[in-house]
């Protein structure tokens, strides 16, 4: 879930690189809409669905950062999408181990942000901000996530 300071955080870890920030934000919006559609935990307006498809088909592939780094980014995006899909399936198994794996897999876009930092600032910069990025995007705690299934707030 986006935090209130999402833009400022991306500006920091992506060194004010506008196209990289927009790439990440676009990817986050697409993934959030997909998650809402699959979870069916809240209604998704037709306009939001249209916007997600527009972003996926038009904005994202036209983004200059994506275009310059597509051979690196596209496989990472594919892996993140498959990881998220696997997390949805693992949640449905209903066992603690499957849901623990789901918790780990569900936010793999974080790895993409880490790699974007590396593409912009090099290896040393990526090493400097990687843990900060992971802590920012993985703000949820495992116990809280698992308890959502006990309270019925998570739909397996």
């Amino acid at each position: 879930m986006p935090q209130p300071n999402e833009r400022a955080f991306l500006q920091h870890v992506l060194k004010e690189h506008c196209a990289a920030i927009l790439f990440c934000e676009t990817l986050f919006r697409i993934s959030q809409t997909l998650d809402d559609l699959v979870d069916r935990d809240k209604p998704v307006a037709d306009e939001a669905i249209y916007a997600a498809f527009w972003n996926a088909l038009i904005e994202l592939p036209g983004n200059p950062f994506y275009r310059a780094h597509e051979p690196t980014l596209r496989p990472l995006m594919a892996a993140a999408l498959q990881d998220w899909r696997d997390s949805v399936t693992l949640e449905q198994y209903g066992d603690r181990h499957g849901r623990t794996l789901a918790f780990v897999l569900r936010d793999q876009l974080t790895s993409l942000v880490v790699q974007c930092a590396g593409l912009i600032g090099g290896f040393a910069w990526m090493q400097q901000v990687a843990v900060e990025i992971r802590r920012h995007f993985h703000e949820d705690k495992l116990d809280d996530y698992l308890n959502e299934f006990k309270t019925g707030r998570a739909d397996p």
Side-chain angles (χ1 to χ4, degrees), residues 121-137:
F123 179 77
W125 176 249
M126 181 175 67
Q127 298 305 299
Q128 184 177 331
V129 297
V131 171
E132 182 181 359
I133 291 168
R134 292 185 190 287
R135 290 185 73 79
H136 176 85
F137 287 109

Side-chain angles (χ1 to χ4, degrees), residues 80-111:
L81 181 58
Q82 185 61 48
D83 287 348
W84 176 82
R85 172 74 165 75
D86 292 346
S87 78
V88 171
T89 302
L90 286 161
E91 281 181 349
Q92 296 170 353
Y93 284 1
D95 65 287
R96 181 178 172 83
H97 181 63
R99 288 181 174 163
T100 301
L101 289 171
F103 180 77
V104 172
L105 292 172
R106 69 190 185 120
D107 287 324
Q108 292 307 320
L109 286 179
T110 301
S111 293

Side-chain angles (χ1 to χ4, degrees), residues 18-88:
C18 186
I21 293 165
L22 291 175
F23 165 75
C24 289
E25 289 176 335
T26 300
L27 200 54
F28 297 163
R29 284 191 303 275
I30 294 166
S31 68
Q32 186 59 59
T33 302
L34 176 61
D35 183 74
D36 291 342
L37 286 169
V38 170
D39 286 349
R40 295 180 180 92
D41 56 350
K42 63 181 181 180
V44 181
D46 291 348
E47 192 58 35
I49 297 168
Y50 174 77
F53 274 83
W54 180 268
N55 283 326
L57 296 171
I58 308 302
E59 296 297 331
L60 195 109
N63 178 286
F65 178 76
Y66 176 78
R67 293 174 69 86
H69 300 288
E70 184 267 341
T72 300
L73 296 173
R74 196 156 62 107
L76 295 172
M77 291 165 51
L81 181 58
Q82 185 61 48
D83 287 348
W84 176 82
R85 172 74 165 75
D86 292 346
S87 78
V88 171

